[in-house]
């Protein structure tokens, strides 16, 4: 495979994505070091801490069980702000429309964005629209950018995990990726697989209100799934993370679909889940807070930060052995967000 062209795998969120960012994009455009890469940039202006983020959405199909490209775009940016502990304030919307897109489809997407913004408590305040010739895009692409403010001084960056911390997730793994795949390919899988696309800012606010500084890292495991996201945290923090195979919450239909297709749920994308690395003495309290919130009813403690190291992640299997976990190597499921 030639190494001088962009591949689908460069958009996977895994190893190739990190290589593209670290070797070309970030050195050309920014000075952010790997350890400082978070879901949103952290800024300070006139003594006020701010968070700023941007993301683009090219999901195929644009309508899928559990959501649309519109609410996915709103929730994605809201969640990126929430993962650094910021309260989402306002977002922008950039629309790239392909000639021939039915106006009814555009209206349905816009209505879903309006409802999503209301659900997340964020305002859409500015935007832009472009139309490209037929065949130069795929129906509709959306970019959303967002700005958030902080009501606290907690540090929720990816380099803040500490040995002894527990790793929690607010619910089942792999729902979004498998819902997209089944819908796109028309697979004769279980029919009730639905995306988990949802806003997480309310759940984050509940955690910070009750246990505050005990929350060390938050991250939503989207592209690359739980495995890649934990590997990122381990590398940024310089720690080892060990997962418990028996504690991973995976719906039966998602696990069955993954088994049929030869996929590992740990690498499948999520759009309404977050990983929380929490001080051990507050982990049970964090679990109960999650389970008492509508976005965390199936929350679980799935692992722990075991030691300071160079960033290894492993799975303790049901039989007691250890299996190394790495970032997603290629592109398992393209265009899932």
């Amino acid at each position: 495979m030639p190494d001088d062209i962009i591949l689908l795998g460069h958009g996977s969120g895994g190893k190739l994505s990190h290589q593209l960012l670290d070797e070309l994009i970030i050195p050309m455009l920014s000075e952010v070091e790997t350890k400082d890469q978070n879901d949103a940039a952290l800024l300070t202006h006139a003594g006020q801490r701010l968070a700023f983020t941007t993301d683009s959405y090219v999901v195929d199909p644009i309508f899928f069980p559990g959501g649309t490209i519109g609410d996915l775009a709103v929730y994605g940016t809201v969640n990126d702000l929430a993962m650094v502990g910021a309260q989402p304030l306002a977002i922008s919307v950039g629309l790239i429309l392909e000639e021939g897109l039915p106006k009814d489809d555009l209206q349905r997407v816009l209505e879903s964005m309006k409802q999503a913004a209301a659900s997340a408590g964020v305002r859409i305040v500015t935007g832009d629209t472009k139309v490209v010739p037929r065949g130069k895009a795929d129906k509709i692409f959306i970019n959303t950018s967002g700005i958030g403010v902080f009501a606290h001084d907690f540090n929720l960056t990816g380099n803040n995990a500490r040995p002894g911390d527990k790793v929690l997730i607010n619910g089942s793994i792999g729902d979004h990726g498998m819902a997209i795949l089944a819908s796109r390919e028309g697979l004769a899988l279980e029919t009730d697989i639905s995306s988990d696309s949802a806003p997480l800012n309310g759940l984050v606010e509940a955690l910070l209100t009750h246990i505050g500084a005990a929350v060390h890292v938050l991250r939503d495991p989207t592209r690359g799934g739980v495995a890649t996201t934990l590997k990122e945290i381990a590398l940024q923090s310089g720690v080892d993370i060990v997962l418990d195979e028996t504690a991973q919450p995976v719906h039966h239909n998602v696990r069955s679909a993954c088994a049929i297709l030869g996929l590992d749920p740990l690498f499948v994308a999520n759009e309404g889940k977050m990983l929380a690395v929490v001080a051990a003495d507050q982990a049970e309290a964090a679990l109960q807070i999650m389970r008492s919130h509508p976005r965390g009813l199936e929350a679980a403690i799935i692992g722990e930060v075991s030691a300071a190291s160079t960033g290894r992640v492993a799975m303790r299997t049901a039989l007691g052995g250890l299996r190394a976990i790495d970032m997603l190597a290629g592109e398992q499921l393209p265009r899932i967000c």
Side-chain angles (χ1 to χ4, degrees):
M1 187 67 70
D3 58 5
D4 57 349
I5 61 173
I6 296 298
L7 306 173
L8 273 176
H10 286 114
S12 68
K15 278 187 177 180
L16 288 178
S17 294
H18 283 267
Q19 289 176 3
L20 185 64
L21 286 170
D22 295 338
E23 296 175 3
L24 181 58
I25 295 177
I26 290 178
M28 291 290 289
L29 300 179
S30 181
E31 299 177 351
V32 178
E33 297 182 11
T34 298
K35 66 179 180 61
D36 296 323
Q37 293 176 23
N38 296 293
D39 286 334
L42 305 178
L43 310 171
T44 301
H45 178 71
Q48 173 68 57
R49 295 175 71 213
L50 303 171
F52 181 70
T53 189
T54 189
D55 209 339
S56 298
Y57 298 84
V58 297
V59 66
D60 174 35
I62 61 174
F63 305 115
F64 49 85
T68 76
I69 190 174
D71 54 54
L72 188 71
V74 172
Y75 292 149
T77 288
V78 164
N79 291 345
D80 282 346
L81 292 170
M83 292 305 105
V84 295
Q87 295 177 347
L89 182 65
I91 66 174
S92 69
V93 174
L95 301 172
I96 307 295
L97 309 178
E98 182 189 18
E99 178 188 24
L101 176 72
K103 284 187 176 178
D104 285 349
D105 286 355
L106 177 58
Q107 180 172 345
R108 182 178 171 188
V109 169
L110 297 177
E111 288 174 346
S112 71
M113 299 187 81
K114 180 179 180 180
Q115 294 170 5
S119 174
V122 66
R123 294 188 301 149
I124 298 173
V125 296
T126 188
D128 180 55
T129 302
K130 296 289 190 301
V131 179
V132 298
R134 196 184 302 268
K136 299 300 183 182
D138 189 358
K139 297 180 279 295
I140 178 172
F141 297 155
I142 300 176
N143 173 270
T144 49
S145 298
I147 189 165
V149 296
F150 290 86
H152 57 77
D153 295 323
F154 306 134
N155 176 21
L156 301 177
T157 53
N159 57 10
N160 201 32
R162 306 166 187 171
D165 287 351
K166 300 295 184 182
V167 180
L168 293 82
I169 192 165
N170 62 313
S172 57
I173 296 169
D175 295 7
H176 176 73
M178 294 314 300
I180 294 296
L181 182 62
S183 179
R184 180 193 305 167
E185 305 299 336
L187 299 178
L189 304 172
E190 299 278 354
T191 57
D192 58 347
I193 298 178
S194 181
S195 171
D196 58 349
S197 178
L200 298 170
N201 50 321
L203 179 56
V204 170
E205 183 177 354
L207 276 177
L208 296 182
T209 298
H210 290 92
I211 61 172
V215 183
H216 294 161
V217 183
L218 296 175
R219 192 67 65 84
D220 54 343
T222 53
R223 293 177 305 165
V226 168
T228 299
T229 303
L230 287 177
K231 184 69 176 179
E232 292 171 350
I233 295 172
L235 288 170
Q236 283 185 262
S237 296
V239 297
D240 284 352
I241 295 176
V242 178
L243 299 176
D244 179 354
E245 185 177 40
T246 64
Q248 309 304 309
V250 183
H251 288 156
H252 173 73
N253 51 5
V254 170
R255 189 182 297 281
S256 298
C258 285
I260 292 171
L261 297 169
L263 303 175
D264 185 339
L266 280 179
F267 293 91
V268 177
N270 314 271
E271 291 293 342
K273 296 301 182 304
M274 72 176 191
L275 293 161
V277 181
V278 177
D281 62 355
Q282 293 294 318
E284 187 61 32
L287 182 64
Q288 297 310 315
I289 292 167
M290 283 186 172
R291 288 179 173 174
S292 65
H293 192 278
R295 305 296 181 206
L297 300 178
E298 298 176 299
I301 298 175
I302 61 172
E304 64 180 8
V305 180
S306 61
S309 79
T310 56
R312 294 170 296 193
V313 178
M315 174 79 81
R316 189 174 303 283
T317 69
L319 298 177
L322 282 178
R323 173 169 66 93
I325 303 293
D326 205 348
M327 287 186 178
L328 183 65
E331 179 61 287
Q332 187 170 236
L333 301 173
R335 296 188 61 189
I336 47 81
C337 64

